[in-house]
Amino acid sequence: MIPFLNLQEINAQYQEELKAVCSRVIDSGWYLNGNELNTFEKEFSAYCATDYCIGVANGLDALTLTLRAWKELGKLKDGDEVIVQANTYIASILAITENNLTPVLVEPNDTTFNLCPNTVKKAITPKTRVILPVHLYGQISPMPELMGIALENDLLVLEDCAQAHGAAINGKKAGSWGHAAAFSFYPGKNLGALGDAGAVTTNDEELAKTIRALGNYGSAKRYEHKLKGVNSRMDEIQAAMLSVKLKHLDDEIKVRQTVAQKYLTEINNPLIELPVVDEINSHVWHLFVIKTDQRKKLASYLLDNGIETLIHYPTAPHKQGAYKEWSNKVFSKSEKLHEQVLSLPISPVLDYKDVDRIILIINNYK
Ligand SMILES: *Cc1c(COP(=O)(O)O)cnc(C)c1O
């Protein structure tokens, strides 16, 4: 069986280093808010080319705390509108509603799966305050255009980079375009911890301080609580392991890009629509998502031939029980995507011989 993603094998590549840093943290006797977190934050902000990085407990908190911090700083208030694509993972939307802000769902570009600048322009109302582009599946959104729209309309931009560590446009990385960006280091992401972790990157010092305080019970100074904060911290063991894995991220991205390039040039089955990519470095291929009108049949054919696939995502957020209030909304492009998308195996440890086999089997499908 060719698994969709072999996390065990990915982390086994670095097991000596990972075990060594875990021992270092165990022996240090210091498990939260210490040198490991400090070091990882510096390394990751340098990687993204931002002034600040704030480690938090997970990617959802990175999104939620950024919006919350903007509220605390008086830049947002209850009911303000946030524009986001309707086909995103539900976390992007949960962060908005958690803050009593109003998600304005818009149809994505159905070849890149990302926000379309013209659609965003049309969705702007007097209540719009934020654009939340999700760099879905690893492809960075059209950031120059979106930042231009934000500037013209005095809007904030929060990038959801959970799937796009290292993606770039003209060398400028995801996480450095918006006023702030949220990252997830969930184990299956391109830069994955061995547990939960997340981070915010920004160049805004005041925002960075507020997010850090919010994640630490609203406290910037011990026993002084200026805000009604929460507990959202990245622990020392996760930070240390992320520092190890960050060193290998660019090499892993290159393997993903090589696999994707093979799929793109060699899959030629007319029943399958391949993903569209603007520029090679703009996509880090967290997922390789094809479209087909025969998804169920194709997925079971692939499984019969020893190839595991997954669906990202089977149900649109506005069709989920969590958002019953939107059940009669119609986003026909997004809904069609949710019926057509299928993710093929892609990972830094996928054997090129297996890639050839996947391509052959897909091309033989009728
Ligand atoms: C994974 C993911 C998140 C949430 O990250 P967690 O670390 O699981 O909380 C948010 N947005 C997108 C697009 C994601 O893929």
Side-chain angles (χ1 to χ4, degrees):
M1 174 68 81
I2 304 175
F4 180 72
L5 177 69
N6 189 336
L7 272 184
Q8 192 273 332
E9 203 179 323
I10 290 176
N11 290 321
Q13 302 176 99
Y14 317 120
Q15 60 170 314
E16 298 306 323
E17 276 182 282
L18 292 172
K19 286 175 182 168
V21 299
C22 283
S23 295
R24 182 171 80 208
V25 176
I26 294 168
D27 293 345
S28 77
W30 194 277
Y31 307 116
L32 284 169
N33 296 340
N35 291 336
E36 304 289 351
L37 176 62
N38 203 352
T39 301
F40 175 70
E41 288 177 340
K42 287 209 175 83
E43 290 167 351
F44 197 65
S45 57
Y47 181 81
C48 296
T50 59
D51 292 341
Y52 305 97
C53 168
I54 308 101
V56 295
N58 55 62
L60 175 59
D61 281 4
L63 290 162
T64 308
L65 292 177
T66 303
L67 294 170
R68 168 88 192 272
W70 277 334
K71 287 182 85 180
E72 298 291 350
L73 292 168
K75 297 194 172 181
L76 296 179
K77 58 177 188 317
D78 284 4
D80 283 350
E81 292 177 359
V82 181
I83 297 175
V84 63
Q85 68 251 48
N87 60 322
T88 184
Y89 180 57
I90 198 167
S92 325
I93 297 169
L94 289 169
I96 300 170
T97 51
E98 173 66 21
N99 277 293
N100 293 320
L101 301 165
T102 305
V104 174
L105 305 184
V106 296
E107 296 274 34
N109 174 320
D110 58 6
T111 63
T112 64
F113 309 106
N114 279 335
L115 277 181
C116 170
N118 281 331
T119 313
V120 169
K121 263 191 217 162
K122 284 185 207 137
I124 293 174
T125 75
K127 288 181 123 184
T128 307
R129 294 298 307 131
V130 182
I131 305 174
L132 202 166
V134 184
H135 308 318
L136 208 62
Y137 308 147
Q139 175 157 226
I140 190 168
S141 312
M143 293 313 293
E145 294 80 0
L146 293 175
M147 293 313 293
I149 295 170
L151 190 66
E152 247 166 59
N153 295 276
D154 196 20
L155 306 177
L156 294 163
V157 175
L158 170 55
E159 296 173 70
D160 183 338
C161 297
Q163 304 186 0
H165 322 69
I169 298 176
N170 299 327
K172 188 170 163 58
K173 288 204 175 97
S176 72
W177 286 89
H179 300 92
F183 286 86
S184 164
F185 307 113
Y186 173 83
K189 299 288 159 79
N190 283 20
L191 178 57
L194 281 78
D196 272 319
V200 178
T201 55
T202 182
N203 292 326
D204 181 338
E205 185 181 4
E206 209 186 7
L207 179 69
K209 281 186 179 157
T210 308
I211 292 169
R212 193 177 296 287
L214 280 172
N216 189 33
Y217 301 107
S219 170
K221 204 171 144 201
R222 207 165 194 194
Y223 303 129
E224 189 179 299
H225 302 268
K226 292 199 171 146
L227 303 167
K228 295 184 189 74
V230 298
N231 175 353
S232 182
R233 300 183 285 225
M234 183 195 296
D235 64 70
E236 290 284 283
I237 287 196
Q238 296 308 332
M241 291 198 281
L242 285 169
S243 286
V244 169
K245 293 189 71 182
L246 178 59
K247 285 188 284 178
H248 303 285
L249 178 60
D250 285 344
D251 287 339
E252 292 202 344
I253 290 172
K254 282 198 197 95
V255 179
R256 287 176 183 273
Q257 287 172 335
T258 306
V259 172
Q261 203 56 48
K262 273 178 84 68
Y263 281 152
L264 287 173
T265 49
E266 296 174 34
I267 294 177
N268 56 20
N269 189 321
L271 298 169
I272 284 158
E273 211 180 307
L274 293 166
V276 170
V277 46
D278 292 338
E279 183 221 322
I280 186 71
N281 289 319
S282 67
H283 208 320
V284 294
W285 303 102
H286 173 56
L287 297 169
F288 191 95
V289 177
I290 61 171
K291 291 191 283 180
T292 172
D293 291 326
Q294 309 182 9
R295 179 170 68 190
K296 207 170 165 195
K297 205 174 135 216
L298 177 63
S300 69
Y301 161 86
L302 290 173
L303 197 61
D304 289 344
N305 283 281
I307 299 164
E308 189 187 15
T309 57
L310 289 179
I311 296 168
H312 298 89
Y313 300 92
T315 308
H318 70 280
K319 296 288 178 197
Q320 296 281 2
Y323 292 111
K324 286 191 282 290
E325 61 272 34
W326 298 339
S327 60
N328 56 6
K329 289 202 180 195
V330 179
F331 295 97
S332 45
K333 257 195 199 179
S334 290
E335 284 158 35
K336 181 137 193 254
L337 286 178
H338 283 88
E339 286 165 17
Q340 290 182 315
V341 292
L342 185 69
S343 307
L344 302 183
I346 191 161
S347 95
V349 295
L350 184 59
D351 202 288
Y352 292 137
K353 283 202 295 284
D354 286 341
V355 178
D356 287 337
R357 194 175 129 71
I358 293 167
I359 292 166
L360 183 76
I361 288 168
I362 289 182
N363 285 341
N364 285 339
Y365 174 78
K366 340 188 220 326

